[in-house]
Amino acid sequence: MDHHADDEVLGAVGPRLRALRRDRGITLADLAATTGVSESTLSRLESGQRRPSLELLLPLARIYDVPLDDLVGAPRTGDPRIHLKPIRRFGMTFVPLSRRPGGVHAFKMIIPAQPEPLEPTLQTHEGFEWLYVLNGRLRLVLGERDLTLPPGEAAEFDTSLPHWLGSADGGVVELLILFGLQGVRAHVRTDTHRPSRPGNQR
């Protein structure tokens, strides 16, 4: 048995738990009240000072609504399909497309149809966001700016600026979102090795 490999797997559980909790916007105090596990134990578990056990991980898997294998980073075997778990917040649906903790997280976001236009409620939080409109027309309110983005358009912004996302015409909007903590941004780079078109040669 490879004890070193086991230690590496168990050592990655804490950061993964911390990332899940922060992604869900849950405090340690809230988590302790919900699971019955003490706040100090949860803190030590996230920092790697407490060895994870099945007794501790099972209630956390239920709260975060993720398979136990995802908490410990166990590789899936046999079934090649990806099982995505939608998350519903603020009346919207978020489908996580990335699984690793930390760094940039990818989501598909679905804004449902609204019979009546919603009044923007601007929010701020730490991080940086890049979005791409897949379907529908997005209304993006960013500070003093009020923008409408059709399918195929993208935007990026610091989420410490007051912002709000909604439907521009009341229809369903589908977005691809990349979100990172402060200082972590999505970088889009063109192919510098692509030959120039004849009309672009100088």
Side-chain angles (χ1 to χ4, degrees):
M1 189 176 199
D2 190 342
H3 293 288
H4 179 68
D6 289 345
D7 288 341
E8 286 187 350
V9 170
L10 293 175
V13 172
R16 189 174 290 110
L17 291 173
R18 183 183 293 111
L20 280 169
R21 179 174 60 79
R22 290 177 176 175
D23 285 346
R24 302 296 196 274
I26 302 173
T27 66
L28 280 172
D30 292 338
L31 192 59
T34 307
T35 61
V37 180
S38 72
E39 190 173 340
S40 62
T41 297
L42 292 170
S43 178
R44 291 170 58 214
L45 187 61
E46 289 188 358
S47 65
Q49 298 175 9
R50 174 69 182 262
R51 193 174 180 87
S53 66
L54 193 60
E55 183 181 6
L56 292 174
L57 294 180
L58 279 176
L60 294 174
R62 284 194 294 268
I63 293 299
Y64 295 139
D65 193 23
V66 298
L68 189 60
D69 285 352
D70 285 3
L71 292 186
V72 297
R76 297 183 184 272
T77 58
D79 190 349
R81 293 173 296 177
I82 299 175
H83 303 278
L84 303 176
K85 290 269 190 177
I87 303 168
R88 290 175 176 81
R89 291 184 190 168
F90 316 117
M92 304 176 188
T93 300
F94 298 82
V95 182
L97 303 178
S98 58
R99 297 174 50 154
R100 71 183 183 91
V104 176
H105 289 200
F107 297 89
K108 180 179 180 182
M109 176 179 171
I110 303 171
I111 302 174
Q114 298 288 343
E116 298 291 336
L118 297 178
E119 186 66 26
T121 53
L122 279 68
Q123 298 181 353
T124 61
H125 53 87
E126 183 182 2
F128 198 88
E129 191 166 301
W130 181 94
L131 61 84
Y132 177 85
V133 183
L134 297 170
N135 291 298
R137 293 171 59 82
L138 173 71
R139 182 183 178 190
L140 169 61
V141 180
L142 185 60
E144 300 296 326
R145 306 185 67 183
D146 195 333
L147 308 170
T148 297
L149 280 66
E153 285 202 358
E156 61 177 352
F157 55 92
D158 187 328
T159 54
S160 64
L161 294 173
H163 61 280
W164 179 84
L165 306 178
S167 174
D169 55 13
V172 176
V173 184
E174 297 183 13
L175 311 169
L176 177 64
I177 290 181
L178 299 179
F179 174 77
L181 295 177
Q182 197 66 37
V184 180
R185 298 179 55 169
H187 296 282
V188 180
R189 183 173 58 187
T190 58
D191 186 355
T192 57
H193 299 290
R194 180 181 297 175
S196 299
R197 296 180 181 177
N200 293 336
Q201 292 180 349
R202 294 183 181 180

